[in-house]
Amino acid sequence: MSQPPIFRRWPPREPELIQLYSMNTPNGIKVAQALEEMHLPYEPHTVNILEGDQHTPEFLWINPNGKIPALYDPDGPDGRPISLMESAAILVYLAEKTGTFMPLDPDGKSACLQWLFFQMGHIGPMFGQFGHFFVYARDKCDHPYPVQCYSNETRRLLGVLEHHLDNRNYLLGESFSIADMAIAPWVDCLDTFYQAGKHLKLKEFPAVHRWLERCTERPSYGIARRVCDPEDRDR
């Protein structure tokens, strides 16, 4: 069997392991955390999106959309290799592969997927647009509307989380799940990366703060933040 094209640019040292192609962005962190929590042996490869690695032919083989993270599992369904794009799809795949971090009962699984899709449809896009205009586009767009618009929407979404997390330890209640893994890095980056805690008045969301502490204090989160860090030359 011929090797996948992505191996040409990021040759695996241990090709029998799951191969992760990523960077330590919120979307990258959530998949790395899942691999750590599920105790799945994997080999990480840094795809530096700041240098355009995601647009190379080798990476476009695994994700035609040119976005991280992507994953290659040599031991996929029925023992056949499988390549995956889209972070939420990867989380669901890993949860089903291991039978962990996503409820098996229909009601619990439905609730987990709803919050996972909430992240993909709302949290990620809106927080990302907020960060773009609040941090990266300041010297390109001096009109106040984009920052005001995305600040308001970010706070509205935080309010949705605040209401839901009141009297809950995690999004599904007492069980940490792939939904928490998906949303926590995005909430975390508002203050740690965008430095927008004061601007967004994050202290007004105490339930979100307590939940975020529970998520980020897990050892797997600290590891996931370092996985595929372009500053780590050993990756």
Side-chain angles (χ1 to χ4, degrees):
M1 181 182 297
S2 61
Q3 291 189 334
I6 199 164
F7 281 16
R8 294 198 296 264
R9 186 175 180 92
W10 292 277
R13 294 185 295 271
E14 300 179 84
E16 72 279 5
L17 301 184
I18 290 173
Q19 304 294 312
L20 172 66
Y21 305 93
S22 190
M23 188 168 148
N24 59 342
T25 66
N27 282 336
I29 289 170
K30 62 189 179 187
V31 170
Q33 184 177 25
L35 290 164
E36 291 290 334
E37 289 279 355
M38 297 172 189
H39 304 292
L40 287 168
Y42 68 100
E43 183 176 342
H45 304 275
T46 300
V47 178
N48 193 330
I49 62 175
L50 302 178
E51 296 182 355
D53 287 354
Q54 73 276 25
H55 302 308
T56 58
E58 294 85 359
F59 187 79
L60 291 174
W61 172 85
I62 200 168
N63 186 350
N65 194 36
K67 301 289 184 179
I68 59 97
L71 184 145
Y72 182 84
D73 185 358
D75 183 25
D78 301 322
R80 294 176 288 104
I82 186 173
S83 61
L84 297 108
M85 63 179 190
E86 290 298 324
S87 57
I90 295 172
L91 290 179
V92 172
Y93 170 78
L94 295 175
E96 291 181 338
K97 179 183 178 75
T98 60
T100 59
F101 296 101
M102 182 170 67
L104 300 177
D105 66 284
D107 288 347
K109 182 177 181 179
S110 175
C112 183
L113 292 177
Q114 288 174 59
W115 286 106
L116 181 60
F117 293 164
F118 173 75
Q119 185 273 300
M120 296 299 292
H122 300 278
I123 293 283
M126 295 299 102
F127 286 19
Q129 288 298 317
F130 165 75
H132 174 75
F133 286 103
F134 186 74
V135 177
Y136 299 107
R138 285 190 170 189
D139 60 343
K140 298 179 179 66
C141 178
D142 59 1
H143 197 285
Y145 178 77
V147 171
Q148 179 183 354
C149 175
Y150 290 113
S151 296
N152 291 343
E153 181 62 4
T154 295
R155 281 182 51 82
R156 186 190 72 80
L157 293 170
L158 289 168
V160 174
L161 290 175
E162 179 72 16
H163 177 75
H164 181 74
L165 288 166
D166 189 32
N167 298 319
R168 288 184 175 91
N169 283 331
Y170 297 106
L171 287 165
L172 301 186
E174 296 304 313
S175 300
F176 182 69
S177 72
I178 57 172
D180 300 289
M181 296 180 204
I183 295 177
W186 280 104
V187 177
D188 187 32
C189 81
L190 293 176
D191 197 25
T192 60
F193 192 72
Y194 297 153
Q195 300 291 303
K198 184 177 180 180
H199 172 81
L200 292 171
K201 301 178 183 178
L202 295 182
K203 290 183 179 180
E204 294 181 1
F205 305 98
V208 172
H209 177 73
R210 291 191 296 270
W211 161 81
L212 183 62
E213 281 193 329
R214 294 187 193 98
C215 295
T216 58
E217 286 175 354
R218 299 176 75 92
S220 61
Y221 189 82
I223 296 172
R225 287 191 67 180
R226 298 189 298 272
V227 167
C228 296
D229 182 350
E231 298 300 320
D232 186 348
R233 300 304 178 186
D234 294 331
R235 296 262 183 218

